Amino acid sequence: MEALILNTETETNDIHRIIQYFAIFNFPLTLEEVFYFYAGDLNMEAMALVLGDMRDAGLVLQSGLYYYGMKCSPDCIKEREICAARAQQLLPRARRVGNFISLFPFVKFVGISGSLSKGHAKANTDFDFFIITAPNTLWICRTILHLFKKCTFLFGLQHWFCMNYFIDAHHLELEEKNMFTQIELATLIPLNNPNLFTYFLLKNDLSNIHKISLNVPDDSFVKVYEKLFQRVKNKWLQPLNLFLMRLTDNKWRKKWRKKNFPEDEYDLCFKTTENVSKNHPKNYQKRILELIDKH
């Protein structure tokens, strides 16, 4: 029973950071959700005791089943329930859109990301998608998809096709490893290619990966899958891929230079390499991590 009452400063800080992270979005969490994002050794019963101690110490607030940060608004639970109901209505449509995207050339994996992947949808929520492309085709794939997206503006459907993050299937390990990327990956909703999704999460060594339901046949899965997957090269498409990357990069730099976008943030917000395309002008990652560090 000793493990159930273990409560160290490290565990309290880790749990507090999770709650504070979601407090930035005015988002209360249930015990099960806090436990899901927690990477330590506490079991559910022990975590409930720790949260109770944190509540009594004034570190977090509790109302019914929800725990939330001190900066959350008084109506955060009501807002969450409204947004959760809206998300349930929108998710089937987002899945259909994502499955449609998966039919495009060179798309190997599509996952729903952003607020919708966390079961939270405000009015006019975008459909955000994370996409893995075939090797040496990322910029070809992205160009095709964004040419199609231009057509969606004619029908006012552009917010259904927010494809802001692409990575190459031969370079699945993300450079940024922090709380923001951990939570984004842990909440990603896969729409196709479950083996590639499993391989991707294992390559990124998520701290709470033991709590994610993955179909891993045996311990040799990564080695076997990697050996098979690395056979696909598409080297003949590399010149076109690099040309489109440079073309897009030049276009973006001219556009954002005119808008006086901070140069020291540009490479993080608009990562443009042969294997990664990220277009996040609001730089949520930096803003959220800075807010967490202040608390």
Side-chain angles (χ1 to χ4, degrees):
M1 292 296 291
E2 290 182 2
L4 294 178
I5 59 174
L6 185 64
N7 183 1
T8 69
E9 184 178 352
T10 299
E11 288 157 347
T12 299
N13 287 340
D14 288 347
I15 295 169
H16 191 236
R17 280 177 64 84
I18 293 168
I19 292 174
Q20 290 302 107
Y21 181 97
F22 283 92
I24 293 171
F25 306 97
N26 202 39
F27 192 89
L29 296 171
T30 64
L31 169 64
E32 291 77 14
E33 288 166 339
V34 178
F35 180 72
Y36 176 75
F37 292 112
Y38 171 70
D41 296 326
L42 290 179
N43 60 29
M44 188 92 71
E45 189 175 348
M47 176 164 285
L49 294 175
V50 174
L51 282 167
D53 290 342
M54 292 172 66
R55 176 200 60 216
D56 295 342
L59 293 175
V60 300
L61 298 172
Q62 181 183 7
S63 178
L65 299 175
Y66 293 101
Y67 298 88
Y68 50 98
M70 309 298 288
K71 292 188 178 295
C72 285
S73 67
D75 63 346
C76 64
I77 294 174
K78 181 179 179 181
E79 180 184 333
R80 170 173 173 168
E81 291 173 346
I82 292 171
C83 291
R86 187 182 293 121
Q88 287 302 309
Q89 291 178 336
L90 292 176
L91 266 172
R93 184 182 300 165
R95 287 180 180 276
R96 290 195 295 272
V97 172
N99 287 328
F100 175 70
I101 291 171
S102 72
L103 301 176
F104 277 71
F106 310 118
V107 175
K108 291 300 179 183
F109 170 83
V110 179
I112 299 173
S113 60
S115 62
L116 199 56
S117 70
K118 299 161 188 64
H120 192 79
K122 294 185 177 181
N124 301 319
T125 286
D126 295 337
F127 293 176
D128 296 307
F129 296 101
F130 178 87
I131 297 169
I132 300 176
T133 71
N136 287 312
T137 66
L138 187 152
W139 292 95
I140 301 171
C141 178
R142 189 190 182 285
T143 300
I144 294 170
L145 280 168
H146 277 265
L147 285 173
F148 165 77
K149 182 176 178 177
K150 290 184 182 298
C151 299
T152 66
F153 281 83
L154 298 173
F155 305 97
L157 300 178
Q158 66 272 20
H159 298 296
W160 291 8
F161 293 86
C162 294
M163 303 166 288
N164 299 324
Y165 208 138
F166 292 74
I167 62 171
D168 183 290
H170 276 185
H171 298 81
L172 294 176
E173 188 171 355
L174 303 184
E175 290 183 12
E176 296 96 13
K177 295 184 184 298
N178 51 53
M179 191 173 188
F180 180 88
T181 56
Q182 289 271 310
I183 289 177
E184 286 303 307
L185 294 188
T187 54
L188 197 62
I189 300 176
L191 299 179
N192 67 323
N193 206 338
N195 279 349
L196 180 54
F197 176 62
T198 296
Y199 181 50
F200 168 59
L201 292 186
L202 292 173
K203 289 287 284 186
N204 281 283
D205 193 26
L206 285 185
S207 58
N208 69 329
I209 197 166
H210 57 290
K211 297 176 183 175
I212 302 175
S213 178
L214 297 176
N215 180 28
V216 183
D218 54 53
D219 293 338
S220 64
F221 172 81
V222 172
K223 290 182 180 179
V224 172
Y225 194 74
E226 193 164 51
K227 186 176 181 180
L228 291 171
F229 204 70
Q230 291 293 336
R231 291 179 184 175
V232 182
K233 303 290 185 182
N234 294 322
K235 284 287 186 182
W236 63 281
L237 289 169
Q238 190 173 33
L240 176 59
N241 195 51
L242 291 175
F243 168 76
L244 291 172
M245 179 192 76
R246 296 187 190 104
L247 184 69
T248 306
D249 188 36
N250 289 334
K251 178 184 175 183
W252 282 354
R253 288 184 184 277
K254 288 178 182 177
K255 173 184 176 180
W256 293 104
R257 194 177 293 122
K258 288 180 180 178
K259 295 186 177 185
N260 296 316
F261 194 88
E263 290 205 15
D264 59 329
E265 296 184 17
Y266 181 87
D267 288 333
L268 176 62
C269 298
F270 302 96
K271 183 165 286 189
T272 307
T273 71
E274 187 176 354
N275 307 308
V276 180
S277 169
K278 183 169 71 168
N279 191 318
H280 293 165
K282 294 184 179 179
N283 203 358
Y284 283 124
Q285 181 175 161
K286 179 184 176 183
R287 288 165 54 192
I288 290 168
L289 293 176
E290 285 178 347
L291 286 170
I292 286 293
D293 290 337
K294 287 180 181 178
H295 291 295

